[in-house]
Amino acid sequence: MEREGNSKQKADTIKYIIILAVITAGVLLQITTGQFPYDLIGYPVNLMIAIALIVLASAKPGKILTAAGSLPVSVFLIVLITILTIVMGLMPDNRLKGSWPFALTYFMILINLALIVGRRVRSFRLRDTGFILNHAGLFILLLSAGLGAADSQHLFMKIYEGETSSSAEDYVTGNRVGVPFKLTLEDFGIEYYAPKFFVIDTKSGIVEQLSDDFRQGLNVTCDTLTDAGYEHEAMVRVKGPGVDTSGWVSSGVNMQPGKVLQIDRDRYLSMGEPQTKSFCSSVVLINGNDSVLKNDIRVNHPMRYGSWRIYQFSYDRQMGSHSQYSVLELVRDPWIIPAYIGIFMLLAGAVSLFWKGGRL
Amino acid sequence: MIWSEFIYFAVISLFFWVSAVAAIYLSKKKTLPNIMFLTGVFVFSLFIARLWLTNGHPPLRTMGETRLWYSLFIVVIGYITWLRWNYKWLMGYSTLVSAVFIIINLLKPEIHSAGLMPALQSPWFVPHVTVYILSYAMMGAATIASIIFIAGNGEKHKDLIGLVDNLVRIGLGFLLMGMLMGALWAKEAWGDYWTWDPKEVWAFITAATYLVYIHLRRITINLKLLMWIIPVAFLLLMIAWLGVSYLPSAVNSIHTY
């Protein structure tokens, strides 16, 4: 009995030694070859690895695979990735996410998860649903977010109003890349929330903000609002007891004070900088078959086309809403569907975690 | 102005919610707190519905409007958690947080007109923040229970383990929901569901640490040593919540405000 216990203990420690050896190899590779070659795992390599992992999960495990998919190994790997991530969190850049040790830990977690899910699915009972949602969901999400993201493209398209473009600049390499559609920017615009107005009383030195509840008997209407050269300007009309005047006020820029409007002998009206409500690029997308899609691209409202999504990214900040161009970000992620499947499985798993609590 | 009517709806709702909490502690039956609570929810929802109809769009465009949803969601989720798990303190807590949001809306009425910046104008904004607030409450309670366990000794505190297990799982459920909803939102707003932004890095660390507890719990016999993970995880949670902005890695974070 004792001897069996001893050899079991030995087998226990071997698992950890193997994991640490893999990490050490990762550190050595990092020193000798630099960052993990992320582009090498793009299609079809990532798909092959994914299939290999699924085959691994469905195979009947022998001694080694049973150990690799065991709970102590899971704990060891979670601790390892946590420590690596803490290092990442303390470093001013996050180069660590592309390093060999991080990538190898990621692969070991994938293998561990695949084996765990495979084992549970083979001996499925209804009460394992939450367990499988959490573990399989995490497996699918990690697979898409790591291996799958190697196929993703991030491009930037700077496009002038009235122009049409079918190429964009790669975020990583800086190369110009063609895209399978043509985009025309019809218009770029910025909308602002109504600006805030202040009344400056030069006699008392008091500055007060006007609001719906506090108007000092004044009625301020704003006719035109422009924002050329960083500065916001508004044509306002102020009416009140003994006051009826109109003129331009502006918010000022940096150290330069804005224009104020004299209301009466002691009081002046000034304007605060209005906050941005939305950035909007009105575009027309023409695909290979000459079918035309019109869309307004705003923050939080990207345009969808196949596996592409087109985002509002930037504009000519000096010109504000008069910007002649817009910068769009074009993102293609062919693994987004499995990523969403993983996320929704995990969301369902999180609800089951809440519902079941500590009663296992 | 419909906002000038808010005080009536707010006072009535809060009256019902506070009474519901009092009834939970005083009465053995759940009927009275249920009625009180749901009446409060009805009155509060009535105001949101009125605002929605007058605006002609969902009231999610200003800070004041999002605070309205927090006030409602936090008590509703607190209520569901109470129904499921009977944690009375959580109802008290969620009512208190809700009251804070309501009072801010009442005291700073000029903020009603302040608009949300474009990135925050998303239906994910409110649920993303609300589940995190509840997660912090569950994890905070778990931390207190774990410290009592570490400080005390003997069989007397055996039931504390069950409580910690329960709170950590419920809290982790909320924490993961917050992260996943954040991921879905980020995909819509920035093009990627995960970018290792400093806030994301620390949220990952926190969740992973609670995962270590849950998994280690099933193989460790030394419970006292194991319990130390909970206060450590809570410290990491605090870094993720409040400390990230002060880290050198956070210069370009989308979460610094």
Side-chain angles (χ1 to χ4, degrees):
Chain A
M1 273 311 274
E2 208 183 35
R3 258 181 55 202
E4 210 182 291
N6 257 342
S7 70
K8 196 172 176 279
Q9 230 168 28
K10 230 185 248 166
D12 265 354
T13 39
I14 282 174
K15 303 188 282 221
Y16 306 125
I17 291 169
I18 291 172
I19 295 172
L20 290 176
V22 171
I23 297 303
T24 316
V27 173
L28 291 175
L29 279 165
Q30 183 72 27
I31 295 165
T32 51
T33 70
Q35 293 286 80
F36 178 79
Y38 197 56
D39 17 321
L40 289 188
I41 59 164
Y43 180 82
V45 178
N46 49 11
L47 193 65
M48 277 148 60
I49 297 174
I51 292 167
L53 283 168
I54 292 164
V55 170
L56 193 73
S58 41
K60 205 170 159 52
K63 230 180 192 171
I64 298 169
L65 287 189
T66 309
S70 66
L71 181 57
V73 167
S74 309
V75 174
F76 198 77
L77 289 172
I78 305 171
V79 172
L80 201 61
I81 199 87
T82 309
I83 293 168
L84 285 172
T85 315
I86 289 175
V87 175
M88 191 202 295
L90 294 173
M91 284 187 350
D93 59 66
N94 53 9
R95 246 179 327 147
L96 197 123
K97 69 176 181 190
S99 71
W100 274 98
F102 199 76
L104 291 175
T105 311
Y106 163 78
F107 282 121
M108 288 191 283
I109 289 174
L110 278 187
I111 294 169
N112 178 258
L113 270 172
L115 293 167
I116 289 166
V117 173
R119 194 174 58 218
R120 277 290 168 122
V121 168
R122 274 195 298 277
S123 64
F124 181 75
R125 287 160 301 176
L126 203 61
R127 65 191 182 103
D128 287 339
T129 313
F131 183 97
I132 287 173
L133 280 173
N134 276 319
H135 290 80
L138 184 61
F139 175 75
I140 296 168
L141 178 59
L142 286 181
L143 200 69
S144 323
L147 283 167
D151 293 337
S152 70
Q153 274 179 291
H154 289 79
L155 311 172
F156 290 106
M157 184 187 276
K158 182 177 169 181
I159 183 168
Y160 282 85
E161 283 175 337
E163 257 188 22
T164 303
S165 174
S166 61
S167 71
E169 200 172 295
D170 191 296
Y171 173 71
V172 187
T173 60
N175 298 332
R176 275 208 91 72
V177 184
V179 289
F181 48 80
K182 279 187 273 185
L183 272 180
T184 308
L185 179 67
E186 297 210 309
D187 184 44
F188 171 77
I190 303 179
E191 251 189 278
Y192 294 98
Y193 290 106
K196 301 239 178 322
F197 293 104
F198 300 83
V199 169
I200 306 163
D201 191 325
T202 47
K203 205 172 178 185
S204 62
I206 294 173
V207 181
E208 273 173 318
Q209 188 188 322
L210 299 180
S211 68
D212 289 331
D213 308 316
F214 183 78
R215 294 153 67 144
Q216 294 199 9
L218 298 169
N219 191 13
V220 180
T221 46
C222 170
D223 291 332
T224 329
L225 184 66
T226 67
D227 67 342
Y230 280 117
E231 193 179 27
H232 299 270
E233 252 188 315
M235 178 71 191
V236 292
R237 188 180 178 91
V238 188
K239 275 186 179 174
V243 180
D244 186 358
T245 181
S246 62
W248 287 95
V249 286
S250 71
S251 62
V253 52
N254 291 336
M255 302 297 282
Q256 182 197 327
K259 272 187 226 117
V260 292
L261 176 71
Q262 189 161 18
I263 306 171
D264 49 26
R265 205 167 64 91
D266 298 320
R267 292 189 300 169
Y268 292 83
L269 185 81
S270 103
M271 182 177 103
E273 205 179 318
Q275 288 169 290
T276 308
K277 193 172 176 182
S278 81
F279 307 101
C280 179
S281 294
S282 305
V283 301
V284 176
L285 185 148
I286 306 158
N287 71 8
N289 311 324
D290 284 336
S291 58
V292 173
L293 292 164
K294 278 186 103 149
N295 207 316
D296 285 343
I297 299 172
R298 286 175 289 136
V299 178
N300 270 312
H301 299 275
M303 180 179 190
R304 279 151 221 253
Y305 175 72
S307 57
W308 288 92
R309 283 186 193 200
I310 304 161
Y311 298 85
Q312 176 62 47
F313 185 75
S314 188
Y315 60 99
D316 186 346
R317 280 163 205 274
Q318 218 146 44
M319 296 297 287
S321 64
H322 298 289
S323 171
Q324 299 292 302
Y325 66 83
S326 175
V327 182
L328 301 172
E329 186 180 9
L330 285 64
V331 180
R332 182 178 162 264
D333 185 359
W335 292 65
I336 189 66
I337 302 287
Y340 276 147
I341 292 172
I343 287 176
F344 282 108
M345 284 172 78
L346 277 170
L347 267 175
V351 173
S352 96
L353 213 55
F354 164 78
W355 199 251
K356 278 167 83 178
R359 294 175 195 167
L360 283 175
Chain B
M1 272 315 273
I2 188 157
W3 272 105
S4 56
E5 299 167 16
F6 178 56
I7 185 155
Y8 307 113
F9 288 89
V11 167
I12 295 167
S13 304
L14 268 179
F15 167 77
F16 278 110
W17 290 336
V18 171
S19 316
V21 175
I24 286 173
Y25 279 96
L26 296 175
S27 131
K28 280 207 175 80
K29 283 187 188 155
K30 280 191 172 181
T31 330
L32 191 62
N34 274 327
I35 293 170
M36 294 265 194
F37 179 81
L38 292 171
T39 312
V41 169
F42 176 75
V43 173
F44 205 84
S45 308
L46 216 57
F47 179 75
I48 295 184
R50 275 179 58 90
L51 194 64
W52 194 323
L53 288 173
T54 339
N55 279 352
H57 60 76
L60 249 174
R61 295 196 184 169
T62 70
M63 272 300 179
E65 287 170 353
T66 56
R67 275 197 289 265
L68 269 184
W69 291 103
Y70 290 154
S71 309
L72 182 65
F73 272 24
I74 201 124
V75 286
V76 169
I77 303 177
Y79 173 67
I80 294 169
T81 315
W82 169 69
L83 283 182
R84 177 72 183 97
W85 294 106
N86 259 318
Y87 293 136
K88 297 175 183 174
W89 59 269
L90 192 79
M91 278 289 280
Y93 170 84
S94 55
T95 306
L96 186 71
V97 176
S98 177
V100 169
F101 286 131
I102 288 173
I103 289 166
I104 294 174
N105 261 1
L106 287 171
L107 291 184
K108 292 204 147 203
E110 83 271 16
I111 290 174
H112 296 326
S113 53
L116 286 178
M117 55 185 279
L120 293 183
Q121 296 167 18
S122 163
W124 292 113
F125 183 25
V126 169
H128 173 68
V129 177
T130 317
V131 289
Y132 268 121
I133 295 170
L134 281 159
S135 176
Y136 298 150
M138 305 308 287
M139 295 313 195
T143 308
I144 295 167
S146 72
I147 289 170
I148 295 171
F149 183 84
I150 293 165
N153 45 21
E155 293 292 299
K156 208 173 85 187
H157 293 307
K158 207 78 185 185
D159 50 337
L160 275 176
I161 299 269
L163 179 68
V164 172
D165 280 351
N166 216 21
L167 289 171
V168 165
R169 278 185 175 75
I170 301 166
L172 186 66
F174 284 138
L175 202 69
L176 292 175
M177 284 182 222
M179 278 170 87
L180 294 162
M181 287 192 262
L184 292 170
W185 179 8
K187 178 67 193 169
E188 289 305 291
W190 292 286
D192 280 302
Y193 49 88
W194 193 268
T195 50
W196 292 108
D197 175 270
K199 195 90 169 180
E200 291 169 5
V201 168
W202 286 92
F204 179 92
I205 294 167
T206 310
T209 311
Y210 284 112
L211 281 183
V212 170
Y213 171 82
I214 287 178
H215 288 84
L216 211 53
R217 174 78 178 83
R218 301 182 55 190
I219 39 179
T220 302
I221 305 124
N222 190 338
L223 287 174
K224 217 163 207 180
L225 205 60
L226 180 70
M227 262 323 144
W228 274 102
I229 297 177
I230 302 299
V232 171
F234 194 69
L235 199 71
L236 294 169
L237 186 69
M238 289 299 110
I239 295 177
W241 182 20
L242 305 164
V244 168
S245 324
Y246 304 104
L247 290 171
S249 53
V251 184
N252 297 314
S253 172
I254 51 164
H255 281 99
T256 40
Y257 18 77

